[in-house]
Amino acid sequence: MTGFNTKLIYGKGLNQVHDNQTGAVNVPIYQATTYAFKQVAGKHKYDYSRSLNPTREYLEDQIAALEDAQHGYAFASGSAAIHAVFTLFHPGDHIVVSRNIYGGTFRLIHDYLEPLGIEFSAVDTQDLAAVEAAIQPQTKAIYFETIDNPFLKVTSVKQIAAIAKRHHVLTIVDNTFLTPYLQQALTLGADVVIHSATKYLGGHSDVIAGLVVTNDDEIGKQLEFVQNAVGGILAPEDCTLVIRGIKTLSVRLDRHLQNAQKILDYLKTKSDQIERIYYPGQAGDASDAVAKTELKGYGGVITFALKPNVDAEKFVNSPRLIWLAVSLGSVESLIELPYFMTHAELPVAERRKVGITPQLVRLSVGLEDPDDLIADLEQAFAVAEQ
Ligand SMILES: Cc1ncc(COP(=O)(O)O)c(C=O)c1O
């Protein structure tokens, strides 16, 4: 069983559902904290649900199958998954990190990991020379988002992994925006891939979840240790929501891509109101070439900078169909101002430095009829133009 879509539905294999004496086609929600031993002696695969739960195990195997990975791990959020991966490092270790990262990851790095003594250098990961120059003797990893947020520039997993291998450091990627459907980051050379499954994998704005995959047994052991020792694991009901979301990942993403293309075409007609559109394949630079070779599609998020003649707050306050909300990757379209919302954790100077201005809009294109979305944006422009 090798096809990606078949794996979406069945994970590692048809007969993977444990204890299934009923013929139920779905994985049961194992709402159990503890598991009876037949006797004291012997090995017991399941003993307590913090260490292993069969519903979680199914999801972990499902994401591992989709990524062609040996090991998969499910955490209570994308942030918990990122934290778990950072426990691989110790005080004095140094990590090269992408300059444009999710605000919550920025906060985790600067307000939690740096005070613990882990050091970071932020670089533009599209600039391979800068990445290489940032590597120090105590560097242990290069960490980046495959499509950065909010400018959606693509960093080459292949090229960064080649640099990392040369320097014997790990390549860690957050592939939330692409998912394994649009990019197979382990195959491209990453050592660890993280997903906020809250986004496209879950896909319905109803579950917060994080997943990690790796082929490295030692890293796997550490992640399993963190699940058990720290306890930030995903609950069985939430696992079920992610398992269900994953089953329709490819059909949803195909429609996200189609809708995003239609919205993109529409936004390009708004040159009187829009200064610049950010979407992979649009920048006319090296990141576009990477997008064409390493990605199967560019995702459903579009960012654009409004011209001064459009009141950005009025613009995002005005849609009647599109929700004014953070997050992305769901069936419903969401719009936001990164400066005030998703990236508010970044100090103002940092936001300005990376180009996140109050006029910047991020739109996560959902699965509604694109004509309805375009009509909604059109009326928002009419309200906001001054
Ligand atoms: C790229 C990226 N990584 C990680 C996270 C954190 O995930 P979660 O909200 O599931 O903790 C987010 C959340 O928006 C994100 O956009």
Side-chain angles (χ1 to χ4, degrees):
M1 199 171 67
T2 52
F4 188 85
N5 292 294
T6 308
K7 286 187 203 167
L8 289 176
I9 313 297
Y10 295 115
K12 210 165 77 170
L14 260 176
N15 299 319
Q16 206 204 331
V17 182
H18 312 275
D19 294 354
N20 189 352
Q21 296 159 354
T22 63
V25 298
N26 283 316
V27 186
I29 301 174
Y30 283 85
Q31 197 68 59
T33 55
T34 191
Y35 303 82
F37 291 22
K38 285 219 164 54
Q39 55 199 16
V40 174
K43 261 194 153 253
H44 302 94
K45 181 174 176 189
Y46 306 104
D47 60 1
Y48 189 63
S49 270
R50 174 160 29 76
S51 15
L52 193 60
N53 169 284
T55 314
R56 191 174 89 228
E57 186 186 17
Y58 181 93
L59 170 62
E60 292 176 337
D61 287 344
Q62 187 185 28
I63 189 66
L66 295 175
E67 298 268 18
D68 266 333
Q70 292 298 316
H71 310 286
Y73 301 93
F75 292 91
S77 66
S79 301
I82 295 167
H83 166 263
V85 171
F86 277 124
T87 68
L88 292 168
F89 307 109
H90 303 104
D93 286 350
H94 171 258
I95 298 165
V96 177
V97 64
S98 175
R99 189 179 290 156
N100 285 340
I101 48 168
Y102 167 59
T105 307
F106 184 92
R107 178 177 50 200
L108 180 71
I109 287 174
H110 293 290
D111 298 345
Y112 182 77
L113 296 166
E114 280 184 341
L116 291 180
I118 300 173
E119 292 164 20
F120 293 86
S121 297
V123 298
D124 173 356
T125 44
Q126 279 104 38
D127 182 346
L128 299 175
V131 172
E132 190 137 26
I135 294 177
Q136 306 172 11
Q138 69 278 26
T139 302
K140 294 290 190 294
I142 305 171
Y143 179 99
F144 60 98
E145 292 169 12
T146 46
I147 287 192
D148 74 18
N149 177 12
F151 295 107
L152 311 168
K153 277 198 155 197
V154 182
T155 289
S156 169
V157 177
K158 222 174 185 169
Q159 290 168 345
I160 297 278
I163 295 173
K165 283 196 174 61
R166 242 189 349 265
H167 291 272
H168 307 289
V169 305
L170 296 174
T171 301
I172 302 173
V173 306
D174 177 335
N175 211 11
T176 297
F177 275 56
L178 290 174
T179 82
Y181 182 55
L182 299 182
Q183 187 180 53
Q184 296 275 312
L186 285 184
T187 308
L188 288 167
D191 297 292
V192 180
V193 179
I194 303 167
H195 298 285
S196 166
T198 311
K199 318 298 185 209
Y200 289 104
L201 293 170
H204 295 75
S205 300
D206 55 8
V207 61
I208 299 277
L211 297 171
V212 184
V213 292
T214 183
N215 279 318
D216 185 304
D217 294 344
E218 287 310 306
I219 294 174
K221 265 190 210 148
Q222 172 64 16
L223 294 171
E224 211 175 313
F225 167 80
V226 177
Q227 284 190 320
N228 196 32
V230 180
I233 40 94
L234 193 63
E237 299 98 323
D238 288 349
C239 289
T240 297
L241 290 172
V242 180
I243 291 167
R244 186 173 65 172
I246 284 177
K247 290 183 189 194
T248 56
L249 179 70
S250 59
V251 286
R252 281 187 291 109
L253 265 170
D254 285 345
R255 181 62 73 85
H256 280 297
L257 294 174
Q258 273 176 26
N259 280 4
Q261 193 53 54
K262 289 194 173 147
I263 301 294
L264 201 60
D265 293 344
Y266 161 73
L267 293 175
K268 282 180 184 166
T269 69
K270 305 299 287 181
S271 55
D272 288 344
Q273 291 84 6
I274 294 177
E275 189 89 55
R276 186 163 171 194
I277 299 172
Y278 300 91
Y279 188 68
Q282 305 290 310
D285 63 12
S287 93
D288 289 354
V290 174
K292 290 190 178 90
T293 55
E294 294 188 16
L295 275 55
K296 199 180 141 197
Y298 299 158
V301 179
I302 302 171
T303 299
F304 49 97
L306 294 168
K307 284 189 167 167
N309 59 324
V310 182
D311 182 320
E313 275 193 60
K314 258 194 204 160
F315 178 72
V316 297
N317 285 341
S318 300
R320 298 181 188 134
L321 181 63
I322 304 169
W323 297 88
L324 173 62
V326 299
S327 202
L328 59 109
S330 191
V331 292
E332 63 280 340
S333 294
L334 307 173
I335 199 162
E336 62 116 4
L337 296 183
Y339 185 90
F340 298 104
M341 298 170 71
T342 46
H343 290 65
E345 280 97 352
L346 269 66
V348 170
E350 191 66 29
R351 273 176 265 169
R352 295 274 180 192
K353 195 164 95 191
V354 297
I356 299 170
T357 71
Q359 289 295 99
L360 199 69
V361 178
R362 192 184 78 180
L363 173 65
S364 172
V365 179
L367 306 184
E368 303 92 339
D369 285 307
D371 288 348
D372 289 338
L373 295 174
I374 289 167
D376 203 21
L377 291 169
E378 188 65 16
Q379 66 82 23
F381 274 119
V383 173
E385 212 169 349
Q386 46 203 0

